[in-house]
Amino acid sequence: MAGAPPKPWERAGAEGTSGPAPFKPPSGGSTSDVVEASGTAKPGETIAATTANVSNPVSRTMPQRPWQQQTGYGNSYGGAGYGSNMYSSLGGYGNTYGSGGMYGNSMYSSYGGGGGLYGGSGMYGGGMYNSGMGGSYGGYGMGGMGGMGGMGGMGGMGGMGPYGNPDPNSFGPPAAPPGFWVSFLRVMHGAVSFFGRVAFLVEQNTQAFYLFITAMLQLFDRSGMLYGELARFVLRLLGVRTKSKKGRVQGPEAPAFEGPGQQFLEAPKGNNSWDSVWGN
Amino acid sequence: MPAFKAPAPGFSVRFSPFHENRLLAATSQHFGLVGNGHLLVLDLSAAGPGGPGLAPLFSFPTSDALFDCAWSESHDSLCAAASGDGSVRLFDVTLPPEQNPVRLLREHAREVHGIDWNPVRRDAFLSASWDDTLKLWSPDRPASVRTFRGHEYCVYAAAWSARHPDVFASASGDRTARVWDVREPAPTLVIPAHDHEVLSLDWDKYDPSILATGSVDKSIRVWDVRSPRAPLAQLAGHGYAVKRVKFSPHHQGMIMSCSYDMTVCMWDYRKEDALLARYGHHTEFVAGIDMSVLTDGLLASTGWDEMIYVWPFGSDPRAV
C-alpha cells in the first residue's frame, strides 16, 4: 500500500490564499479509528434528528421524490379525498345529504380547483328536503359540468428533474431544442398523465352514477311516504277516520278511498302512530 | 490523445492517481434506466494518434448500471464503482474478471450515485445514495464505518476536501450542499446553495475553504464556507442542468464543468470573464469529466453518445 504520488497542491505546500479553513484540526490515525474515537460510528437512527450543529437550517420545502410524483389528480384517490367521506356519508341518508358539504369540500381541495365534480355542497341536502326534486338535480348537473371544466385546465407537466426545465425567465441564452430523450420522456409523461386522467374520469362517473341511483331510490321511498301522509291528511279533513292496520305500509295502493259513508272499525291507537302528531 | 467508443453511454471518467495513461470509466446500458453496466480501464498510451480503435485494458460487466467510479488512492489497481442496485463494488484490475468484484458492499437501499476516495488519508471512501444518506467505507472492512444522515432528498455527489482528511461535502436534491466532519454526528454547515437540485460539487485544491456547486438551475456557484450566506461567484453559461463540476488539481480557481446542454466548459471563477473555453464535442448529454492529477492540463470527458474523449486543455478534443 504505497499510496498515490503527492498531489500538485500538496507539493506546492502553500496554505490557501484566503486564510485558514474553519475546520477542527485533523485527527491522527486511520479514518476508521478517527470515526470510532469520535463516537459517531454507526450512529443509526439515534442521531438522525440531530440538528444542533447546523448553522443554516433549511426552511424551504423539498421537491417531491420521483416515486411520489403525481400530477394533482392522483391525490384525490387518497383517503383524505372523497374516498372516505363519500362512502361513509352514504351510510344513513338522514345525515348524508344534509351535510353534502363534506365531500364537496374535500373533492375541491384535493382536486386543486377542479371545482367539485358533483357540484359540491348542499346539493342533496338543500335540494332533497327543502325544495324538492328539481332543485336537487339542477345542482347536480351544474356541479358536474364545472368539474369537467376544471379538468381540462390541468395537466401541467411535472418538472423534468435532472433534465432541466427550459425556463424562459431564466438567465442565459435561449435554450437549445431539447434532445431526443427529453422529448421522448415528455411524450411518455403526457401519455401517462392522459391515462391517469381517463382513469380518474371513469372513477368519477362511477361515483356519480352510484349517487344518482341512490338518490332516486330514496326519492321514490320518500315520495311514497309523502303520498300516504297527504292522503291521510286529506281524508282527515274530509272527516274520514282512517286507520292503518298495524305494520301495514301506507303506499299508493293503500285503501284510501272506500267511500265516505263506509265505517271502519275503531281500533285502539298505537302509541307510535303518526295520528297523534296532528291532534284531533 | 484518442477518442474511445464505449459499449454504452458513459457516466463517469477518472484519471488514475498512479498511472498517467490510465483512465477509469463507468458506463451503463440504456442510459442507466435498465440493463448492465461496464467498468472500463483504458490505457491511453496504447492508442495511436486519433485512433478510435482503442481497446480497454480491462472491462468488468456488472448486472446493474454504474453511475460513478473512483480509483483507490492507496493501491494502484483498486477502484470502486457505484451501482444502480444500491451496492458499492470494489474491483482489482490486476485480477481476471472472474475474480471481480473483490468486494460487494450492499447497504444502501437505493441507487448509489456518487463515490469519492479520500485523497488525503487515502484509506477510506464515501458513497452518496438516493436513499438520502452517505456512507463511509474502508476497503479493509466488510461493512460501512459510518452512515451520514441529514439530507432530505437524494444525495447526488460527495467530495472529500483535498486538504483536510476528515472533512467532506455532499450535494443533494434537497437544494443544499452540506459540509461534514467525520467526527461530528451532524453536518457542520448547511448551504442552501441553489433554487433547484444540486447535482455536484468539488473543493478547491488550493484554498481549503472554497467549494463549487453545480445545479439543475444551470449555474455553478462558488462558496466560501466561512461566509456561506452568499456565493463568492456565480458562473452562468450552461444552457441546461450542470451535471458535474471539478476544480483543477494544478491551477487555483480553475473549474471544469459539464452539462446536459452537451458541452464541457472551463472556468476561472476569479476572473471577470470567467468562461475560459467551451467544448461542444459531445453529441449527447455529457455525464462525466475529470482532470488529470499527473499531467497538467489533460482533460477527459464522457457522455451518453458513448464516447470518451481525452485531450489537452487548449486543443480541440476531436482533432487530437
Side-chain angles (χ1 to χ4, degrees), chain B residues 109-162:
Chain B
R110 293 178 55 79
E111 286 86 338
V112 185
H113 198 261
I115 202 159
D116 198 38
W117 206 288
N118 188 331
V120 182
R121 205 181 270 126
R122 307 179 180 194
D123 61 349
F125 63 96
L126 278 169
S127 61
S129 168
W130 290 4
D131 65 5
D132 305 0
T133 67
L134 298 112
K135 282 180 189 286
L136 175 69
W137 311 83
S138 179
D140 53 2
R141 296 200 179 199
S144 64
V145 179
R146 213 198 128 172
T147 304
F148 299 91
R149 294 168 206 275
H151 277 297
E152 294 162 63
Y153 195 63
C154 303
V155 190
Y156 292 117
W160 286 98
S161 167

Side-chain angles (χ1 to χ4, degrees), chain A residues 77-162:
Chain A
Y77 292 94
Y82 61 86
S84 55
N85 289 335
M86 195 175 280
Y87 288 115
S88 67
S89 64
L90 281 174
Y93 48 79
N95 191 18
T96 306
Y97 299 115
S99 61
M102 182 161 60
Y103 72 80
N105 281 335
S106 48
M107 275 299 296
Y108 189 89
S109 61
S110 64
Y111 193 50
L117 204 51
Y118 299 108
S121 56
M123 66 184 194
Y124 294 115
M128 186 69 92
Y129 293 120
N130 295 336
S131 54
M133 183 171 177
S136 102
Y137 289 106
Y140 177 85
M142 287 174 61
M145 289 309 287
M148 296 296 285
M151 197 67 155
M154 68 173 220
M157 305 271 299
M160 291 306 287

Side-chain angles (χ1 to χ4, degrees), chain A residues 3-5 7 9 14 16-18 24-25 27 29-31 36 40 42 55-56 60 65-67 162 176 181, chain B residues 17-18 31 73 121-123 132 141 144 146 153 162-164 166 182-184 190 192 205-207 226 240 260:
Chain A
K7 307 290 187 225
W9 60 89
T17 52
S18 63
K24 291 202 299 183
S27 304
S30 75
T31 304
E36 274 161 10
T40 56
K42 290 281 183 189
S55 35
N56 281 331
R60 289 177 292 183
R65 287 160 187 266
W67 58 92
W181 273 103
Chain B
F18 292 88
F31 313 101
E73 299 277 347
R121 205 181 270 126
R122 307 179 180 194
D123 61 349
D132 305 0
R141 296 200 179 199
S144 64
R146 213 198 128 172
Y153 195 63
R163 288 177 164 269
H164 194 299
D166 298 318
V182 294
R183 300 161 293 186
E184 300 285 343
V190 179
K205 272 70 173 175
Y206 290 88
D207 191 330
R226 293 163 299 189
Y240 281 111
Y260 286 108

Side-chain angles (χ1 to χ4, degrees), chain B residues 1 15 20 44 290-292 295-300 310-313:
Chain B
M1 286 296 162
F15 281 104
E20 54 187 274
L44 307 176
D290 199 18
M291 285 186 267
S292 172
T295 310
D296 188 359
L298 190 60
L299 313 175
V310 181
W311 75 101
F313 177 56

Side-chain angles (χ1 to χ4, degrees), chain B residues 13-33:
Chain B
V13 281
R14 296 267 194 170
F15 281 104
S16 165
F18 292 88
H19 306 283
E20 54 187 274
N21 283 322
R22 218 169 251 195
L23 189 70
L24 184 70
T27 66
S28 299
Q29 284 180 332
H30 308 300
F31 313 101
L33 298 174

Side-chain angles (χ1 to χ4, degrees), chain A residues 44 49 114 246:
Chain A
K246 199 163 178 164

Side-chain angles (χ1 to χ4, degrees), chain A residues 7-9, chain B residues 205-206 247-251 254 291-294:
Chain A
K7 307 290 187 225
W9 60 89
Chain B
K205 272 70 173 175
Y206 290 88
F247 268 102
S248 164
H250 294 277
H251 303 282
M254 186 186 271
M291 285 186 267
S292 172
V293 173
L294 301 173

